[in-house]
Amino acid sequence: MRQKLDGIDRIDTVPPMLLALAGLKGGTGRTTLAVALAAEARARGRRTLLVDLDPRGDAHAWSLGAGSLAPTTLRLPGVAPGQAERLRGLAYGHDLTVIDTPTDPDALALVAEVAELMLVPCRPSPMDAWAAVDTVETCVCARSLANFRMQVAVVPNAVDPRTTIGAALPNDLRALGLPVLACSVARRVAHPEAMAHGSTASLDAPAGPAARDINELLEAIEALRTRYSDSHQLRH
Ligand SMILES: Nc1ncnc2c1ncn2[C@@H]1O[C@H](COP(=O)(O)OP(=O)(O)OP(=O)(O)O)[C@@H](O)[C@H]1O
Ligand SMILES: [Mg+2]
């Protein structure tokens, strides 16, 4: 990104990032987090692209309701020949490309081929945790075969820290050998309420608790990107 600092034009050296919200189980919060992260990145002045790979088109539908508040959003449903190259090409010229994916192993394989970061939301339930294990294994396999730059991370989502299962989720996921981000996204009605009127919790209440979670998540993602650019050491 070009910035004007002290009257001098500077090019931000942070490399572009292709981020996929992925998983082998439905309803984990991929679309909610994809939209929230893309909208927050755009609000921070990042050149942001939101790509909806899900044939259901939920992220795209949100963007139509959000109008000028939405980042540029493209609907590219399904896995088609040349899709990986298309995604790489689209990411070029954006600081952050966020891909929302369906619950489809072929779509997971596609994004695992191109993404720099695979983010796997996981709700507090055993079924979500088991699916996260399978998803991370698929990503690690794709990394060893073709996409050596990829990082994969699980983000606890829709967590109620007052419950036993919610409070224990990050450690339970780590005990399964999963790479878990230090931040979590709490279960808050502000997320679906905001999406229902074409907004996000962060845009509606930038100082609210739901916005704080999304800010922390975006910062954790950007820290991973910086780590990559500094070291090119991409193992969890
Ligand atoms: N942090 C959260 N707090 C409250 N509700 C949430 C949160 N994350 C997701 N939800 C809700 O959980 C449901 C599933 O979320 P979402 O549609 O984002 O998941 P998904 O993984 O994209 O699902 P799908 O498999 O349908 O694509 C939605 O009703 C959404 O509003
Ligand atoms: Mg979805």
Side-chain angles (χ1 to χ4, degrees):
M1 177 188 299
R2 187 179 290 274
Q3 290 182 321
K4 202 98 176 163
L5 292 176
D6 303 330
I8 301 167
D9 254 356
R10 298 215 189 163
I11 304 293
D12 194 336
T13 54
V14 175
M17 176 181 256
L18 216 158
L19 163 71
L21 277 294
L24 288 166
K25 182 178 178 303
T28 57
R30 290 176 306 244
T31 302
T32 301
L33 298 186
V35 160
L37 288 167
E40 177 59 23
R42 180 189 175 279
R44 292 182 184 196
R46 310 278 193 271
R47 291 171 304 175
T48 307
L49 177 67
L50 178 60
V51 179
D52 192 347
L53 281 192
D54 190 338
R56 286 179 40 79
D58 291 338
H60 182 252
W62 168 83
S63 76
L64 296 178
S68 61
L69 292 177
T72 306
T73 305
L74 291 178
R75 195 164 182 211
L76 296 177
V79 179
Q83 194 84 307
E85 279 317 308
R86 195 170 297 126
L87 290 171
R88 282 196 193 97
L90 286 168
Y92 208 74
H94 292 92
D95 301 313
L96 180 67
T97 300
V98 181
I99 307 177
D100 185 28
T101 66
T103 311
D104 168 15
D106 291 337
L108 179 65
L110 167 70
V111 291
E113 210 182 302
V114 297
E116 272 105 27
L117 175 59
M118 300 285 284
L119 195 59
V120 183
C122 183
R123 301 175 82 110
S125 90
M127 290 74 81
D128 282 62
W130 299 329
V133 169
D134 292 342
T135 305
V136 170
E137 278 175 3
T138 303
C139 294
V140 169
C141 184
R143 180 171 64 196
S144 65
L145 289 176
N147 186 4
F148 70 96
R149 303 182 337 142
M150 181 225 292
Q151 297 181 90
V152 55
V154 177
V155 57
N157 180 41
V159 174
D160 183 344
R162 296 166 303 182
T163 61
T164 306
I165 194 168
L169 181 63
N171 281 340
D172 286 349
L173 295 174
R174 287 190 190 98
L176 291 169
L178 294 170
V180 184
L181 288 183
C183 55
S184 294
V185 179
R187 176 159 57 86
R188 295 196 189 276
V189 73
H191 293 294
E193 275 180 355
M195 283 193 73
H197 61 261
S199 185
T200 66
S202 303
L203 294 172
D204 280 356
R212 194 173 55 231
D213 285 353
I214 298 303
N215 283 339
E216 284 179 12
L217 180 56
L218 187 56
E219 275 147 30
I221 289 165
E222 299 211 326
L224 287 175
R225 164 162 62 182
T226 306
R227 195 178 78 189
Y228 164 67
S229 97
D230 286 349
S231 67
H232 286 227
Q233 296 297 313
L234 293 183
R235 293 292 179 269
H236 62 257

